[in-house]
């Protein structure tokens, strides 16, 4: 059964460094998403992406964040200059249309 | 503003008892409604969804939920809890507001006692 994959599973970085989190969505899906979950808190929407552009983003998704689909398979989230409060689990998701989303296992980002 | 409220951050039931996890939403547009389950250190797994049509939807592992528009609710139930049901459950709403955005509730941790 096809699934969304994410790499790395755990990323440790120093404050101020740039990180790129990678996702491989399910191959025939058209919509892509990033969410984050700070430890012990709820899952928060960051951004949705369709047809090579952002279709919706939250207040969290500021200028420090960017997304890209560099080729036909990967979908990346870049944080330009990480802050301590960026430490969280980041989930990628994809969907064939606009309803059911399939989530990846997540990347745990730790900023020190 | 759109929001999702899950009543009770923790719910404890005995094995074999009814499970009821409550979810209410606020939305200015017709919502798509979901329940997800998250086991420790894992991602989110879809339990069930409501998009259109029948308001009582059945999902995996014996769970079901009923969309009640008049009450803006989408409560999750299971007639008989199993130990394996112990997990965190998230209610979510996907909205088409020009783009697509999913809002999650704060989650309810379900404990199942032997």
């Amino acid at each position: 059964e096809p699934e969304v994959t994410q790499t790395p599973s755990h990323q440790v970085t120093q404050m101020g460094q740039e990180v790129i989190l990678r996702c491989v969505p399910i191959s025939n899906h058209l919509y892509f998403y990033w969410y984050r979950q700070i430890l012990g808190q709820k899952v928060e929407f960051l951004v949705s992406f369709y047809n090579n552009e952002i279709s919706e983003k939250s207040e969290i998704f500021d200028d420090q964040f960017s997304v890209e689909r560099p080729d036909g398979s990967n979908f990346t989230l870049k944080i330009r200059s990480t802050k301590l409060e960026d430490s969280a689990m980041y989930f990628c998701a994809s969907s064939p249309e606009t309803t059911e989303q399939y989530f990846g296992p997540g990347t745990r980002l730790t900023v020190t | 503003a759109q929001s999702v409220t899950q009543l009770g951050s923790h719910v404890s039931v005995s094995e074999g008892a009814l499970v009821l996890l409550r979810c209410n939403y606020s939305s200015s547009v017709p919502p798509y409604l979901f329940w997800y389950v998250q086991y420790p250190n894992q991602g989110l797994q879809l339990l069930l969804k409501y998009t259109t049509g029948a308001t009582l939807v059945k999902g995996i592992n014996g769970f079901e939920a009923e969309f009640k528009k008049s009450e803006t609710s989408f409560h999750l139930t299971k007639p008989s809890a199993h130990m394996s049901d112990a997990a965190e459950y998230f209610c979510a709403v996907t909205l088409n507001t020009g783009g697509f955005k999913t809002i999650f509730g704060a989650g309810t941790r379900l404990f199942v006692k032997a």
Side-chain angles (χ1 to χ4, degrees):
Chain A
E1 185 177 330
E3 57 184 20
V4 176
T5 60
Q6 291 184 241
T7 54
S9 57
H10 190 191
Q11 172 93 46
V12 181
T13 189
Q14 291 190 324
M15 197 166 50
Q17 295 297 305
E18 174 184 285
V19 294
I20 298 176
L21 309 182
R22 302 181 191 279
C23 169
V24 179
I26 295 173
S27 62
N28 61 343
H29 287 188
L30 302 176
Y31 298 83
F32 313 108
Y33 312 83
W34 282 102
Y35 297 84
R36 79 173 185 190
Q37 185 181 30
I38 295 170
L39 187 64
Q41 297 186 25
K42 69 178 179 180
V43 178
E44 299 173 291
F45 171 79
L46 292 177
V47 66
S48 60
F49 191 86
Y50 170 70
N51 200 26
N52 286 319
E53 60 182 29
I54 291 173
S55 55
E56 184 76 36
K57 61 181 182 178
S58 71
E59 317 76 56
I60 303 167
F61 195 87
D62 61 22
D63 291 345
Q64 290 299 310
F65 292 88
S66 62
V67 289
E68 195 177 33
R69 190 155 160 80
D71 52 42
S73 58
N74 290 284
F75 179 51
T76 62
L77 174 70
K78 180 193 290 186
I79 308 175
R80 289 191 181 80
S81 178
T82 51
K83 304 189 267 288
L84 294 175
E85 53 265 37
D86 293 326
S87 295
M89 182 74 89
Y90 288 81
F91 292 105
C92 172
S94 69
S95 65
E97 23 70 34
T98 58
T99 57
E100 183 172 342
Q101 295 174 36
Y102 295 78
F103 283 80
T107 293
R108 181 168 296 284
L109 177 64
T110 302
V111 183
T112 62
Chain B
Q2 294 87 0
S3 65
V4 178
T5 302
Q6 290 184 239
L7 293 175
S9 58
H10 296 83
V11 170
S12 182
V13 300
S14 298
E15 194 173 20
L18 171 72
V19 176
L20 170 60
L21 304 183
R22 299 177 188 274
C23 174
N24 289 87
Y25 69 91
S26 171
S27 172
S28 56
V29 299
Y32 300 120
L33 298 160
F34 303 84
W35 276 97
Y36 289 89
V37 61
Q38 185 180 36
Y39 297 99
N41 300 314
Q42 293 189 27
L44 297 162
Q45 181 182 6
L46 180 69
L47 274 179
L48 48 79
K49 66 178 180 180
Y50 169 81
T51 53
T52 59
T55 56
L56 180 64
V57 292
K58 295 185 185 299
I60 62 171
N61 301 339
F63 284 94
E64 62 182 39
E66 186 171 11
F67 169 55
K68 292 186 176 180
K69 185 177 179 181
S70 61
E71 298 177 9
T72 61
S73 69
F74 192 56
H75 302 330
L76 181 71
T77 60
K78 181 174 180 177
S80 176
H82 294 159
M83 297 297 288
S84 59
D85 294 328
E88 185 96 23
Y89 291 81
F90 293 95
C91 181
V93 170
T94 293
L95 306 166
N96 181 354
T97 56
F100 293 95
K101 178 177 179 176
T102 296
I103 300 170
F104 282 80
T108 298
R109 182 164 294 279
L110 177 66
F111 297 91
V112 182
K113 299 174 291 187

